[in-house]
Amino acid sequence: MSRNARPLLNRRLDGLGTTIFAEMSARAVATGSVNLGQGFPDRDGPAAVARAAADAILAGRGNQYPPGPGIPELRTAIAAHDERFYGLRYNPAEEILVTAGATEAIAAAMLALVEPGDEVIAFEPYYDSYAANIAMAGGVRVPVTLRPPDFRPDIDALARAITDRTRLILLNSPHNPTGSVFTRDELAAIAELAVRHDLLVVTDEVYEHLVYDGEHVPIAQFPGLRERTVSVSSAGKTFAFTGWKIGWVKATPELVTAVKTAKQFLTFVSGGPFQYAIAEALALPDSYFSQLRDELKHQRDVLTTGLRDLGFTVNTPQGTYFATADVGSDGLEFCRTLPERAGVVAIPLAVFYDDKQAARTQVRFAFCKRPEVLTEALTRLAKIF
Ligand SMILES: Cc1ncc(COP(=O)(O)O)c(C=O)c1O
C-alpha cells in the first residue's frame, strides 16, 4: 500500500484502539449481546427537557444558525450553573462558548492552543478522542500512567513528564475509563505544577455531576488556575441526552476567543433548538442532580457487586458511567471472545493506553444501563464464570 494511503493521523494513533467501539458494537449486534461497551444511557433524560427542545423547533427558535458563541440564554444558564455549584464566576458575554459536545470543545482547544511539536501531557488511559485531537494539532502526547488497582494520579511522574516543550496538561476528572475522581489534594498538586511551569490546563469535566464517593472539584478553583484553564463540560451525561451534542467551554476571554476561532471553522454552530432546552435543563432544582447521582450509584453497585460475586477483582469507581475489573487474563482476548461465549460486550482497558502492559488484564464495563439490563448481563456472565 502507498504510504500516502495511510493518513498521518492513523500512523500517529497506532496501537490505540480507534476501531474498538465499531468492532465491539458489530459483535454485540451479531451475537445479540448485552452491550456494556459504549457509554450512553438506555433511558432518555427528563421529559420536560425533551419537550422544551420540541417546543423550540415548533416555535422557530434556533432552527436557523444560532449566534457563533451559542445563544445568550444558554451561556447565561451555564454561568449560573457554575456559580450555583462551585462559586465560579464566568461572564456569559465573553467567557463561555457553546460547542458541538465536549468532543468539539476539546478538539478546538487543542487546535487553538497547541503548536506543532508542543508536548501535551495527559493521564493514560485516555478518553479516545484525546490522542487524535493532540495528533490533529501536530502535538506530541506525553502519557502519565494511571495504574490498577486504584488508578490514582502519580504526581511525581507528572512532575517528571514536564519539559520546556510542555504546552498544556489535558485533564479529565471524573475520569473515563477508570472512574477515578481526583481528590482535592491531587488536583491542588497538579494545579501547583501548572502554575510553577506556566502551563495551560484543559480540563474535561463532562462527568461533573456523576460522582458517588468524594466530590467533584473543578481545577479552575485553585489559585492561579482560573486564568490558565480551559474548562470543558457537556449536557450529554448530566441530562442523559448524549445525542444532542451540546457542550461548552469556560475560560478567560483570550482563551475563549482562541478556542472560538478554531471552533468557527469546525462546525461554526450547532444544535440551535437543543441549546434552548439545555438552558432550561441547567436550571433544574438540586433534587434533579442528586436523583440522577443516586440512580447511577445504585446501578454502579449492582454491577460491581455482581462482578465481585463472580470472582473478578473490581475497582469501585468514584464517578462516571464505568467500572473496571481485573479478569485475570489478557483483556483484549477476553473481550473479543466474550460476546460469543457469554452474550456480553465489554471493552479492554489496554486500547486506551500507550503502555500496553499497564493494565493488560483490566476490562471496562458501562453501568449507565437500567438495573434489569445489568442483572441480565450478570446472569449471562454467571453461566460461564
Ligand atoms: C471523558 C469524556 N469526554 C468527552 C466525552 C464526549 O462528550 P460529548 O458527547 O459532549 O461530546 C465523553 C463521552 O463519552 C467522555 O467520556
Side-chain angles (χ1 to χ4, degrees), residues 39 100-103 106 127 130 172 176 204 206-207 234 237 242 245:
T103 309
I106 296 157
Y127 172 61
Y130 296 172
N172 171 219
N176 174 11
D204 173 352
V206 299
Y207 296 101
S234 151
K237 322 288 176 185
T242 58
K245 298 297 283 189

Side-chain angles (χ1 to χ4, degrees), residues 193-384:
L193 284 171
V195 172
R196 191 182 333 147
H197 296 277
D198 192 21
L199 306 178
L200 296 173
V201 174
V202 175
T203 175
D204 173 352
E205 302 182 0
V206 299
Y207 296 101
E208 61 186 310
H209 286 289
L210 306 186
V211 174
Y212 319 116
D213 302 315
E215 57 176 338
H216 172 66
V217 184
I219 196 161
Q221 280 183 342
F222 290 89
L225 267 283
R226 171 69 171 76
E227 58 268 31
R228 65 178 66 248
T229 301
V230 174
S231 299
V232 172
S233 195
S234 151
K237 322 288 176 185
T238 300
F239 300 109
F241 286 115
T242 58
W244 290 9
K245 298 297 283 189
I246 300 296
W248 50 84
V249 162
K250 298 161 289 184
T252 59
E254 296 72 29
L255 287 169
V256 163
T257 300
V259 178
K260 189 164 59 186
T261 305
K263 184 253 173 346
Q264 181 179 352
F265 300 111
L266 291 170
T267 57
F268 178 42
V269 292
S270 59
F274 296 130
Q275 293 191 28
Y276 286 94
I278 297 301
E280 290 189 27
L282 284 165
L284 285 170
D286 291 358
S287 56
Y288 166 75
F289 298 88
S290 54
Q291 198 179 326
L292 171 78
R293 194 174 54 234
D294 291 348
E295 277 173 20
L296 275 152
K297 184 176 185 182
H298 173 64
Q299 290 165 215
R300 174 196 73 168
D301 293 344
V302 168
L303 180 69
T304 53
T305 307
L307 289 173
R308 261 188 212 112
D309 288 348
L310 293 174
F312 297 111
T313 305
V314 182
N315 174 49
T316 302
Q318 299 101 50
T320 75
Y321 280 165
F322 306 106
T324 57
D326 189 331
V327 296
S329 63
D330 183 82
L332 187 56
E333 182 61 23
F334 177 93
C335 291
R336 285 218 159 107
T337 56
L338 195 62
E340 282 78 17
R341 288 194 297 149
V344 174
V345 166
I347 302 288
L349 227 59
V351 301
F352 305 109
Y353 278 92
D354 280 307
D355 178 351
K356 293 298 166 209
Q357 297 308 312
R360 201 180 62 84
T361 57
Q362 294 280 331
V363 165
R364 187 191 83 173
F365 294 89
F367 56 79
C368 49
K369 310 291 175 188
R370 283 165 293 143
E372 55 271 32
V373 174
L374 299 172
T375 305
E376 170 62 22
L378 291 164
T379 306
R380 291 179 180 203
L381 289 170
K383 293 197 178 124
I384 62 161

